[in-house]
Amino acid sequence: MTHTGVTAPAGFGAAATTAGIKASGKPDMALVLNEGPEFNAAAVFTRNRVVASPVKVTREAVGDGTLKAVVLNSGNANACNGAQGDRDAREEAQLVAGALDIDEGDVAVCSTGLIGDVLPMATIREGIAQLASGLASNAGDNGPAAAEAIMTTDTVAKQAVAHRDGWSVGAMGKGVGMMAPSLATMLVCVTTDASASSQALDVALRRATKATFDTLDIDGSTSTNDTVVVMASGASGVRPSQEDLDAAILEVCADLAEQMQADAEGVTKRVTITVEGTTNDEQALNAARTLGRDNLFKCAMFGSDPNWGRTLAAVGMAESDMDPEKISVYFNSHPVCVNSTGAPGAREVDLSGPDIDVRVNLGTGGPGRATVRTTDLSHAYVEINSAYST
Amino acid sequence: MTHTGVTAPAGFGAAATTAGIKASGKPDMALVLNEGPEFNAAAVFTRNRVVASPVKVTREAVGDGTLKAVVLNSGNANACNGAQGDRDAREEAQLVAGALDIDEGDVAVCSTGLIGDVLPMATIREGIAQLASGLASNAGDNGPAAAEAIMTTDTVAKQAVAHRDGWSVGAMGKGVGMMAPSLATMLVCVTTDASASSQALDVALRRATKATFDTLDIDGSTSTNDTVVVMASGASGVRPSQEDLDAAILEVCADLAEQMQADAEGVTKRVTITVEGTTNDEQALNAARTLGRDNLFKCAMFGSDPNWGRTLAAVGMAESDMDPEKISVYFNSHPVCVNSTGAPGAREVDLSGPDIDVRVNLGTGGPGRATVRTTDLSHAYVEINSAYST
């Protein structure tokens, strides 16, 4: 049978279970095992200065460029739990290491869910035992089950695969809210049977996240738990060039990022914002992010309202160079504002579809350009996020 | 009779009319006249780089420290209308100057409403004529009518008065959304019968706005039209000390800011955020603003959900110094997080009332401290802002 997601590449096993962390009784723990023969790995983490305990443990584990397993749980972020949280995350790594007969320092730990509740360790211990025996008896494709077990407010499981000649890259991810550079609120596990050094993986992963997850900005909020891990088994025996590795890892990350945007909390519109006409790309990115986080703009998108004045008001506050008298705005390719002045028919542009393309030229004549993907701000977003912990 | 708002101080007249700019048929133009004997003035404006035409005209007019009249309209922002917008704003000043027999350079122009629609100048011309004759026949208290005529999505007119021994300060303002440093989306006109130089007024106004409108952050969005004007008639014959002038102008600005927060679009909660324990006040202010703009935090406030983890996740991204392991959070004075770890009973704190007080100590031990006022993010906010132009 064809395996999917993280188990698509050769040399990887996965397991999932319902340990009982989630009150809903839905699956809540997953394990991904690299069976080798190589164990090179890399990871990128949240830029938030408040980091969850599992992030600390994983950062340490991947420090030597080697990982053999990743254990993940949903339903509890194990963030802001002080020394107890650190001890619990470390115990998870120890338990997985013991069950799989690997080194504790080769286990990554990822958690997602509510911040500030201590992990139910009895449940976690039982869950890890179940995962280990699930892995041992693994016959089928456990990729989908693992992807499902890391969901929080996600409505669909998210997997991706990039097939190459003789090797492949697989991935699973979760994340639908609190998505901002860097990263989305997300856990992502990428696997490949390519033979690749940890340095090559690190380069490829950073390039891919910069172009994908880092340009996905749903609500400007950034999580304490964001983690993207890549593991290479070398089981294919193929050692791709850096360029080919970059492209394949970018492909699965782009695929997952698109799935995350489509499943974003309360989304009714997928909005792609491109800013150009700045001195450099960084300035364009600043302006695109400022617009993507502007609540008035996002509410207008929800209402299919071509209120382009809000676009100008938002970018006018961006830390970006611009000529305030020469800003142009296009909604779905229709010019709605030219040289900072309304264009004929601007109020009649149809934004009723699920995808809205916004292009802003800041008028300096420079070559800077950047794209950010966001969503509208809807009633459902407010609904979902107004009663998360209660 | 006792006059209120801008007409409370001696030496000021006001008029309001329904010119027909608003489709709703509600009052939409106001005029405030300084009858002297002094005509000193000062103003502060939006920091947005995209500025409306009336802001350009008013900035120029107040450049010499003198103003005799302010004409205001709601229903149309006259922003992003290019050279036509500039011409229209200038014509407004000319028409007012002609009708009142004053210099065009002594007329401030303020507009608020939808961005990007050209001003209906025939309507505006008629409106200015009505205002001038209303002013001439003025017998009663036109403060409330003027305050009403500048409302957009405001649900109540906003006036304030500070009485002193022999002199006073009056004010009117509008603004309920798009309120962020600097300033709120707002037009504010402050009047005083004190005798004060334009320099003294400028100092007092900047101190007052910094402590009031600049710390009011409803949605992080900043308008193209924000203007706060102060005019002094000297009609009381009293020349207060700078300190006394500062205090009186601060008083009316604080009063208006509180009314704006209470009337903010979709507000169901008034949230006061105080950040302390940073190296200096500026760092504290950065963190307080970051928290005040975090949608997940604001949604939790709407849901009366003491989800303090979002507070840590938000401040962890702030450009402020902090000790990530020593952050403490208090909701309505209850400790919910101590040293970045949940406190007993944190999930049971009652946030059901209309006022929520949030205090965050970032744990550096420094003396920095700042307060920002914001609101929750509610369904009504989304509703109001999703169909503004259509």
Side-chain angles (χ1 to χ4, degrees):
Chain A
M1 73 180 288
T2 307
H3 285 199
T4 61
V6 287
T7 54
F12 290 93
T17 191
T18 305
I21 306 165
K22 286 179 178 166
S24 65
K26 291 187 176 167
D28 47 22
M29 288 193 81
L31 182 65
V32 180
L33 175 68
N34 181 356
E35 293 157 342
E38 298 176 8
F39 304 98
N40 295 320
V44 293
F45 301 98
T46 181
R47 278 188 212 133
N48 203 309
R49 277 184 286 174
V50 176
V51 298
S53 296
V55 170
K56 298 178 198 173
V57 167
T58 301
R59 196 178 268 156
E60 219 176 281
V62 81
D64 64 355
T66 305
L67 286 180
K68 292 189 175 171
V70 183
V71 61
L72 314 95
N73 77 273
S74 53
N76 187 314
N78 191 19
C80 303
N81 289 328
Q84 181 67 48
D86 294 350
R87 277 194 301 273
D88 290 345
R90 200 158 299 123
E91 188 186 337
E92 285 186 84
Q94 288 160 352
L95 290 169
V96 170
L100 302 179
D101 197 20
I102 59 176
D103 194 87
E104 174 193 345
D106 290 335
V107 180
V109 180
C110 298
S111 298
T112 179
L114 186 62
I115 295 173
D117 280 351
V118 171
L119 272 185
M121 282 307 290
T123 306
I124 294 276
R125 287 181 199 112
E126 179 56 30
I128 289 173
Q130 290 162 6
L131 290 170
S133 59
L135 206 56
S137 66
N138 180 16
D141 176 13
N142 282 344
E148 189 190 345
I150 59 174
M151 290 164 61
T152 51
T153 50
D154 303 67
T155 66
V156 291
K158 298 170 182 71
Q159 297 193 107
V161 181
H163 292 291
R164 293 296 186 268
D165 189 17
W167 62 287
S168 62
V169 177
M172 66 177 185
K174 64 79 49 177
V176 289
M178 219 188 208
M179 295 168 130
S182 106
L183 311 162
T185 246
M186 40 180 257
L187 302 180
V188 168
C189 181
V190 180
T191 56
T192 179
D193 49 17
S195 172
S197 69
S198 61
Q199 288 79 4
L201 293 169
D202 188 67
V203 166
L205 190 63
R206 284 177 196 282
R207 286 180 179 159
T209 53
K210 190 179 174 193
T212 57
F213 306 123
D214 273 1
T215 63
L216 187 62
D217 195 330
I218 303 305
D219 52 20
S221 302
T222 301
S223 147
T224 52
N225 292 57
D226 296 331
T227 302
V228 182
V229 172
V230 59
M231 297 189 290
S233 70
S236 71
V238 180
R239 194 172 188 88
S241 68
Q242 182 74 46
E243 197 183 333
D244 289 348
L245 186 68
D246 287 357
I249 290 182
L250 176 65
E251 186 177 322
V252 297
C253 288
D255 191 340
L256 286 183
E258 201 169 295
Q259 293 179 52
M260 288 171 176
Q261 184 191 24
D263 195 26
E265 284 170 349
V267 63
T268 77
K269 304 279 190 180
R270 295 181 294 266
V271 183
T272 302
I273 298 168
T274 300
V275 171
E276 56 192 19
T278 55
T279 309
N280 57 48
D281 292 352
E282 196 191 336
Q283 305 261 322
L285 188 59
N286 286 346
R289 283 187 178 159
T290 299
L291 180 57
R293 291 177 183 179
D294 188 80
N295 280 352
L296 291 170
F297 168 77
K298 290 162 82 83
C299 284
M301 295 296 101
F302 171 59
S304 303
D305 180 1
N307 189 349
W308 55 268
R310 289 187 181 163
T311 302
L312 265 75
V315 298
M317 288 303 290
E319 287 185 26
S320 169
D321 52 0
M322 67 187 73
D323 182 338
E325 304 289 340
K326 290 192 180 162
I327 301 172
S328 295
V329 180
Y330 303 81
F331 285 165
N332 289 342
S333 300
H334 298 278
V336 290
C337 170
V338 176
N339 290 330
S340 304
T341 305
R347 304 265 183 240
E348 281 74 51
V349 171
D350 181 13
L351 302 182
S352 61
D355 287 285
I356 299 176
D357 185 78
V358 177
R359 187 157 61 88
V360 181
N361 190 308
L362 290 179
T364 73
R369 188 184 167 94
T371 296
V372 157
R373 285 176 295 173
T374 187
T375 59
D376 56 344
L377 176 55
S378 67
H379 289 302
Y381 179 90
V382 173
E383 193 62 33
I384 291 165
N385 287 302
S386 61
Y388 185 70
S389 84
T390 51
Chain B
M1 74 179 287
T2 306
H3 286 199
T4 62
V6 287
T7 53
F12 289 92
T17 190
T18 304
I21 306 165
K22 287 179 177 166
S24 65
K26 290 187 177 167
D28 48 21
M29 288 193 80
L31 181 65
V32 180
L33 174 69
N34 181 356
E35 294 157 343
E38 298 175 9
F39 303 99
N40 295 321
V44 293
F45 301 98
T46 181
R47 278 188 212 132
N48 204 309
R49 277 182 287 174
V50 177
V51 298
S53 296
V55 170
K56 298 178 197 171
V57 168
T58 301
R59 197 180 268 155
E60 218 175 281
V62 80
D64 64 355
T66 305
L67 286 179
K68 291 189 176 173
V70 183
V71 61
L72 313 96
N73 77 274
S74 54
N76 186 314
N78 192 18
C80 302
N81 288 329
Q84 181 67 50
D86 295 350
R87 277 195 299 274
D88 290 345
R90 200 158 299 121
E91 187 186 337
E92 285 186 84
Q94 287 160 351
L95 290 169
V96 170
L100 302 178
D101 197 22
I102 60 177
D103 194 88
E104 174 194 345
D106 289 335
V107 180
V109 180
C110 298
S111 298
T112 179
L114 186 63
I115 295 173
D117 280 349
V118 172
L119 272 185
M121 282 307 290
T123 306
I124 294 275
R125 286 181 200 114
E126 180 57 32
I128 289 174
Q130 289 161 6
L131 290 170
S133 59
L135 205 58
S137 64
N138 181 15
D141 175 13
N142 281 344
E148 189 190 345
I150 60 174
M151 290 164 61
T152 52
T153 51
D154 304 66
T155 65
V156 291
K158 298 171 182 70
Q159 297 193 109
V161 182
H163 292 290
R164 293 295 186 268
D165 189 16
W167 61 286
S168 63
V169 177
M172 67 177 184
K174 65 78 51 177
V176 290
M178 220 189 207
M179 296 168 131
S182 104
L183 308 164
T185 247
M186 40 179 257
L187 302 180
V188 169
C189 181
V190 180
T191 55
T192 179
D193 49 15
S195 172
S197 70
S198 60
Q199 290 79 4
L201 292 170
D202 189 67
V203 166
L205 190 63
R206 285 178 195 282
R207 286 180 179 158
T209 53
K210 191 179 174 193
T212 57
F213 305 124
D214 272 2
T215 63
L216 187 62
D217 195 331
I218 302 304
D219 52 21
S221 303
T222 300
S223 146
T224 51
N225 291 58
D226 296 331
T227 303
V228 182
V229 172
V230 58
M231 297 189 289
S233 70
S236 71
V238 179
R239 194 172 189 89
S241 68
Q242 182 75 46
E243 197 183 333
D244 288 349
L245 186 68
D246 287 357
I249 290 182
L250 176 65
E251 187 177 323
V252 297
C253 289
D255 191 340
L256 286 182
E258 201 168 296
Q259 293 178 52
M260 288 171 174
Q261 184 191 25
D263 195 27
E265 285 170 349
V267 62
T268 77
K269 305 279 190 180
R270 295 180 295 265
V271 183
T272 303
I273 298 168
T274 300
V275 172
E276 56 190 20
T278 56
T279 309
N280 57 49
D281 292 352
E282 196 190 336
Q283 305 261 322
L285 188 60
N286 286 345
R289 283 187 177 156
T290 300
L291 181 57
R293 291 176 183 180
D294 188 81
N295 280 352
L296 291 170
F297 167 76
K298 290 161 82 82
C299 284
M301 294 296 101
F302 172 58
S304 304
D305 180 0
N307 189 349
W308 56 268
R310 289 185 182 163
T311 302
L312 265 76
V315 297
M317 288 304 289
E319 287 184 27
S320 168
D321 52 0
M322 67 187 73
D323 183 336
E325 304 289 340
K326 289 193 180 162
I327 301 172
S328 295
V329 180
Y330 303 80
F331 285 167
N332 289 342
S333 300
H334 298 277
V336 288
C337 171
V338 176
N339 288 330
S340 304
T341 306
R347 304 264 183 243
E348 281 74 51
V349 171
D350 181 13
L351 302 182
S352 61
D355 286 286
I356 300 177
D357 185 78
V358 177
R359 187 157 60 88
V360 182
N361 189 307
L362 290 179
T364 73
R369 188 186 168 91
T371 296
V372 157
R373 285 176 294 174
T374 187
T375 58
D376 54 345
L377 177 54
S378 68
H379 289 302
Y381 179 91
V382 174
E383 192 63 34
I384 292 166
N385 287 302
S386 61
Y388 185 70
S389 84
T390 52

